[in-house]
Amino acid sequence: MRIFILTGAGISAESGLGTFRDEDGLWTKYDLREVATPEGFARDPGKVHDFYNARRKNAAAASPNAAHHALARLMQSAHQEVTLVTQNVDSLHEKAGTAAIHMHGRLDRATCHNCRATWEAPAIMSPDDVCGSCGRPETRPDVVWFGEMPYEMDTIYTKLAEADLFVAIGTSGQVYPAAGFVAEAKAAGAHAIEINLDPSDVSTAFHEHILGSATRTVPEWVGRVIGQA
Ligand code: BV8
C-alpha cells in the first residue's frame, strides 16, 4: 500500500517543542510577519536570528517521541511504501531513523538570502555572518517563510497522485499548500485519515479521524497497519 504521511508541529509537541497555534503556541508570542517572512527578515534580521537561534537550541536538545519511532517502524515494514513529508523544521524524524521531505526547510540547515547556497547551520547565527559562497552578509535559516515557495513540491504532488492512503498527523490545517494536500490525495482516490489532538481546520475533508495525543494514537495506528500486512 502506498501511504503519504504529512506531519505538523503536533507530532513534536510531546518532545517538548512548541506548536504554533495552540493556546501557548509560538504565534501567540511572536508576530509571524516579523519573524517568518522575507519582509520581516529584511526589516530586522537580528530579531529573526534570535527567534530561530532559540528554536534551533531547543530542537537540538529534543528527542524523538513514541510517535516518531512508530513512523520509523512503519517505514521499515516491507509491505508499505511510505512517503513522509513534514512541515516541521526540527529533525526529530531523522533522529528516529527516518528520512523526511522537509517542505518548510530545517533549523539545522542555513542558506544565503542572496545566492541560495546551503550549509549545516551553526548553533547561533547572526546578521554579521557572511556567506561562504558569495561573501554577502545575508545568511539565514534554511526555512520556508510565508510568501515563499515550499521545497520539493513536484515530488510531493507526484506522490499525492499515487497515494492509496493519506494520513495527516499533528497539523491544524491552516497553512497552505500543505493544508490542501488531503484534497489532492482524495481526488486521486486515496482514503484520508486525520490523527490529531483536536479536529483541524480541514477535518471535514477526512474520511476517518483518530483523536488523542500522538504518542498514544500513532503507535496504535501503526500497529494496526503493520498487523494487517
Ligand atoms: C506559499 C516556517 C506560494 C518555518 C512556516 C497571503 C499572503 C502570502 C501568503 C498567503 C496569504 N494567504 C495565504 C497564504 C499562503 C500562506 C498561508 O497558508 N498562510 C496562512 C497563515 C493563511 N502560505 C505560504 O505563504 C506558503 N507559501 O503559499 O507560497 C508561492 C507561490 C508561488 C511563488 C512563491 C510562493 C509557505 C508556508 C510556510 C510558512 N512557514 N514555518 C518555521 O518557522 O517553522 S509555516 C508554520 O505553520 C510551520 O512551518 C508549521 O509547520 C506550519 C503549520 O503549522 P502546524 O504544523 O499545523 O502547527 P499548529 O500549531 O498550527 O497545529 C498543531 C496541531 O497539532 C494542532 O491541530 C493541535 O491540535 C495538534 N496537536 C498539539 N499537540 C498534539 C497535537 N496532535 C497530536 N498530539 C499532540 N500531543
Side-chain angles (χ1 to χ4, degrees):
M1 178 163 58
R2 288 172 298 203
I3 307 176
F4 185 110
I5 297 175
L6 172 69
T7 60
I11 199 170
S12 298
E14 291 163 271
S15 293
L17 296 185
T19 64
F20 292 88
R21 297 169 186 85
D22 289 329
E23 67 222 24
D24 58 347
L26 281 167
W27 297 150
T28 63
K29 297 171 191 143
Y30 294 90
D31 178 343
L32 67 83
R33 292 163 304 185
E34 291 181 6
V35 293
T37 62
E39 297 77 15
F41 181 66
R43 252 193 320 272
D44 187 346
K47 175 183 283 191
V48 174
H49 279 305
D50 290 347
F51 175 64
Y52 285 99
N53 287 340
R55 289 177 63 199
R56 186 175 303 106
K57 182 165 178 269
N58 292 340
S63 303
N65 61 51
H68 298 101
H69 289 301
L71 293 186
R73 283 198 302 280
L74 180 66
M75 294 182 82
Q76 283 141 19
S77 96
H79 303 279
Q80 317 300 340
E81 182 195 318
V82 181
T83 298
L84 175 59
V85 174
T86 187
Q87 298 172 89
N88 300 337
V89 291
D90 62 57
S91 300
L92 295 181
H93 286 304
E94 286 76 14
K95 287 183 182 176
T98 43
I101 294 176
H102 282 262
M103 65 178 291
H104 292 164
R106 298 175 60 148
L107 280 168
D108 58 9
R109 299 290 299 169
T111 187
C112 174
H113 200 58
N114 177 56
C115 72
R116 298 311 291 192
T118 63
W119 59 92
E120 189 177 330
I124 300 292
M125 295 184 74
S126 128
D128 304 327
D129 300 344
V130 296
C131 168
S133 298
C134 74
R136 302 265 315 146
E138 296 188 50
T139 65
R140 56 172 276 186
D142 189 12
V143 298
V144 176
W145 286 328
F146 289 96
E148 295 186 325
M149 179 59 86
Y151 289 140
E152 304 209 44
M153 291 307 291
D154 292 344
T155 303
I156 288 170
Y157 281 117
T158 301
K159 293 294 184 185
L160 285 169
E162 296 168 353
D164 303 305
L165 177 61
F166 177 88
V167 186
I169 302 173
T171 179
S172 64
Q174 295 186 38
V175 174
Y176 288 83
F181 289 172
V182 55
E184 294 287 332
K186 281 173 59 184
H191 180 69
I193 303 175
E194 182 173 71
I195 302 178
N196 212 49
L197 190 61
D198 307 308
S200 76
D201 275 29
V202 288
S203 277
T204 52
F206 289 83
H207 299 109
E208 217 177 313
H209 304 85
I210 302 173
L211 290 181
S213 292
T215 52
R216 177 177 60 75
T217 54
V218 177
E220 283 176 359
W221 171 71
V222 167
R224 288 199 295 276
V225 173
I226 293 179
Q228 288 160 1

